[in-house]
């Protein structure tokens, strides 16, 4: 299976070792193969050190504490055989544009039930990539992950047990680097 995250014209794609069919997702109608017209490349960080005496003042930088991550699902309850669509949304709540690494190297889609760790997108991720994106003030980028209602473990060992249904509740948490979203609760029927 291929994990594809679409962000404003770019798709960060990571191969999964699961042998399932490929799935590519883009939030803005990007190329189905995960490509784009521009080749996303990591960019060097800004030097925000103090300017030398007599030189112009340093350009203000974004307030990264105002960049937030939220988790959501496309529905609160899923019937038998319906797969939840998990969404990770990154929002710049500041007044200046922010360069944020929104690549698969930074993101995790985590599903739990109580203290039981059910699934993590990192468990079977074969490759990860950095994708630096400038997010304008007040704007967001969203990545979607269709979760096939499977369990996973670190190292991608086979897991025969399936998550319970019949009205069981699950918690989805989205992570981007050190940022963790509030919990999104959903139910599997």
């Amino acid at each position: 299976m291929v994990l594809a995250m679409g962000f404003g014209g770019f798709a960060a794609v990571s191969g999964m070792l699961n042998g399932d069919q490929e799935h590519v997702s883009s939030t803005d109608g990007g190329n189905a193969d995960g490509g784009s017209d521009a080749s996303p490349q990591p960019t060097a960080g800004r030097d925000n050190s103090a300017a030398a005496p007599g030189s112009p003042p340093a350009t203000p930088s974004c307030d990264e504490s105002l960049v937030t991550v939220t988790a959501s699902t496309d529905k609160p309850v899923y019937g038998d055989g319906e797969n939840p669509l998990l969404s990770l949304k990154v929002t710049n709540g500041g007044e200046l544009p922010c360069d944020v690494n929104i690549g698969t190297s930074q993101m995790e889609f985590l599903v739990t039930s109580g203290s039981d760790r059910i699934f993590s997108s990192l468990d079977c991720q074969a490759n990860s990539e950095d994708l630096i994106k400038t997010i304008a003030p007040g704007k967001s980028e969203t990545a979607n992950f269709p979760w096939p209602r499977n369990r996973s473990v670190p190292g991608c060992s086979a897991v025969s047990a399936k998550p319970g249904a019949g009205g069981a509740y699950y918690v989805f948490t989205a992570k981007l680097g050190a940022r963790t979203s509030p919990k999104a609760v959903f139910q599997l029927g």
Side-chain angles (χ1 to χ4, degrees):
M1 177 165 75
V2 172
L3 172 62
M5 304 302 145
F7 292 102
F10 297 97
V13 180
S14 175
M16 302 293 275
L17 297 175
N18 197 338
D20 291 335
Q21 67 181 12
E22 284 190 15
H23 179 84
V24 177
S25 171
S26 178
T27 59
D28 69 346
N31 296 341
D33 65 359
S36 67
D37 294 337
S39 177
Q41 298 293 321
T43 58
R46 294 186 179 131
D47 180 8
N48 294 320
S49 58
S55 64
T59 304
S61 62
C62 84
D63 184 350
E64 294 213 11
S65 69
L66 297 176
V67 175
T68 58
V69 175
T70 55
S72 63
T73 59
D74 60 327
K75 295 169 51 173
V77 179
Y78 297 89
D80 188 34
E82 287 184 295
N83 292 337
L85 182 66
L86 310 178
S87 296
L88 177 156
K89 183 176 181 180
V90 184
T91 303
N92 178 2
E95 296 181 6
L96 296 171
C98 284
D99 290 337
V100 180
N101 186 347
I102 57 173
T104 54
S105 66
Q106 301 298 306
M107 66 176 63
E108 179 181 15
F109 293 79
L110 179 66
V111 177
T112 58
S113 181
S115 62
D116 190 6
R117 181 185 179 279
I118 304 294
F119 174 86
S120 170
S121 60
L122 298 179
D123 290 342
C124 296
Q125 185 171 319
N127 299 308
S128 64
E129 297 179 1
D130 288 331
L131 177 61
I132 307 298
K133 180 87 176 192
T134 301
I135 302 176
K139 299 298 181 182
S140 299
E141 295 289 336
T142 300
N144 295 312
F145 180 78
W147 178 48
R149 295 172 79 144
N150 64 322
R151 282 186 175 264
S152 67
V153 294
C156 203
S157 299
V159 180
S160 60
K162 297 287 183 194
Y169 285 91
Y170 293 87
V171 174
F172 163 47
T173 305
K175 296 182 179 183
L176 187 71
R179 298 173 183 94
T180 300
S181 72
K183 299 171 182 176
V185 179
F186 63 97
Q187 187 177 19
L188 294 182

